[in-house]
């Protein structure tokens, strides 16, 4: 700024000095050639006109200097703003890179977790298949055990239909006289198709009757 202002001021002062020098030289040349000599008043008017022009030029120079200073200040502010924006952009890019790196890490961890879960599910499916096979084998063995009875002659209490190879037999004793009809003397119970109970409803008859029914399967 100082350089521009000084150059403009030096130019104005140089122009003023050159104007005065030119006037003096014109006067001297006119005198030597025998021409009309410029009077003092004319020279004064010429100088005054030059001074006025110089003053106007100086004012114009100051205005241009002020405008140049405003432009330079605006440029400086713009440069500062650009530097601030560059810093913010660099910070944003750094944060963005950190976020991307974090997301990539989380994605890798997620893939690893999904792989581990898939392996666990596969192992559980294999175990479930093995358990299903074991259950089927146990069911088959139970069916075979149910259909297979030890050799010999014996009876078992029936519970509904008798197994294949067994014959159903049933018998009962009814109207058994007891001392009383309470739980100390008659306790109702069922053994498959067999039972012990009161004859009729407990206490229905004055002598407190009970009955026993046995249903068996024999071979």
């Amino acid at each position: 700024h100082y350089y521009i202002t000084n150059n403009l001021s030096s130019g104005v002062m140089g122009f003023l000095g050159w104007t005065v020098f030119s006037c003096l030289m014109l006067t001297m040349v006119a005198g030597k050639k025998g021409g009309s000599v410029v009077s003092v008043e004319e020279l004064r008017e010429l100088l005054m006109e030059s001074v006025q022009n110089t003053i106007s030029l100086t004012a114009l120079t100051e205005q241009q200097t002020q405008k140049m200073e405003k432009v330079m200040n605006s440029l400086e502010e713009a440069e500062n703003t650009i530097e601030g924006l560059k810093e913010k952009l660099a910070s944003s890019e750094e944060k963005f890179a950190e976020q991307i790196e974090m997301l990539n890490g989380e994605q890798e961890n997620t893939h690893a977790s999904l792989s581990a879960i898939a392996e666990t599910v596969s192992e559980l499916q294999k175990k479930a298949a093995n358990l299903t096979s074991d259950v089927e084998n146990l069911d088959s063995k139970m069916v075979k055990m149910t259909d297979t009875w030890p050799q010999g002659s014996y009876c078992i209490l029936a519970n509904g239909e008798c197994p294949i190879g067994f014959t159903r037999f049933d018998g009962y004793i009814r109207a058994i006289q007891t001392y009383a009809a309470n739980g100390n003397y008659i306790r109702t119970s069922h053994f498959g198709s067999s039972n012990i109970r009161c004859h009729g409803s407990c206490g229905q008859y004055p002598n407190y009757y009970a009955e026993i029914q046995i249903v068996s399967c024999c071979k």
Side-chain angles (χ1 to χ4, degrees):
H1 300 169
Y2 177 76
Y3 175 76
I4 294 173
T5 305
N6 283 345
N7 284 343
L8 291 173
S9 299
S10 299
V12 172
M13 296 304 296
F15 177 77
L16 178 61
W18 177 256
T19 302
V20 174
F21 176 75
S22 297
C23 292
L24 293 175
M25 291 298 296
L26 288 173
T27 303
M28 292 175 63
V29 170
K32 288 182 179 181
K33 291 184 177 182
S36 60
V37 179
V38 179
S39 66
V40 175
E41 292 297 328
E42 291 177 347
L43 182 60
R44 182 179 298 173
E45 290 178 358
L46 182 61
L47 288 175
M48 289 299 295
E49 184 178 356
S50 298
V51 169
Q52 291 295 329
N53 292 333
T54 303
I55 292 173
S56 298
L57 183 60
T58 302
L60 180 62
T61 302
E62 290 180 355
Q63 292 178 358
Q64 294 298 325
T65 301
Q66 292 176 358
K67 291 182 179 180
M68 288 294 295
E69 288 179 354
K70 290 181 179 180
V71 170
M72 295 302 294
N73 290 333
S74 298
L75 288 174
E76 186 176 358
E77 290 178 358
E79 289 178 355
N80 293 333
T81 303
I82 291 172
E83 289 298 327
L85 291 174
K86 287 182 178 180
E87 292 178 358
K88 290 181 179 179
L89 180 60
S91 178
S92 299
E93 289 178 349
E94 184 178 356
K95 291 181 179 179
F96 185 66
E98 291 177 356
Q99 292 293 330
I100 292 177
E101 185 177 358
M102 184 182 299
L103 290 174
N104 289 333
E106 292 179 355
Q107 185 177 11
E108 292 178 358
N109 293 333
T110 302
H111 286 317
S113 299
L114 289 176
S115 298
I117 291 172
E119 292 179 358
T120 303
V121 169
S122 178
E123 291 178 358
L124 290 174
Q125 289 176 344
K126 291 179 180 179
K127 290 181 179 180
N130 294 333
L131 288 174
T132 301
S133 178
D134 292 341
V135 169
E136 291 176 353
N137 292 333
L138 288 174
D139 288 340
S140 177
K141 289 180 180 179
M142 289 180 65
V143 170
K144 291 181 180 179
M145 289 178 63
T146 303
D147 294 339
T148 303
W149 293 89
Q151 298 295 325
S153 298
Y154 53 87
C155 294
I156 58 174
L157 291 175
N159 185 18
E161 297 295 330
C162 290
I164 298 175
F166 285 80
T167 302
R168 184 183 181 89
F169 296 93
D170 62 90
Y172 52 82
I173 302 174
R174 294 175 177 171
I176 303 172
Q177 187 175 359
T178 60
Y179 180 78
N182 56 41
N184 292 328
Y185 296 93
I186 302 174
R187 178 177 295 177
T188 301
S189 183
H190 294 269
F191 310 95
S193 299
S194 303
N195 60 76
I196 298 174
R197 60 185 182 181
C198 294
H199 182 61
S201 61
C202 292
Q204 178 180 355
Y205 302 103
N207 292 327
Y208 308 115
Y209 295 120
E211 66 181 34
I212 297 175
Q213 182 177 8
I214 297 175
V215 182
S216 64
C217 299
C218 302
K219 62 177 293 189

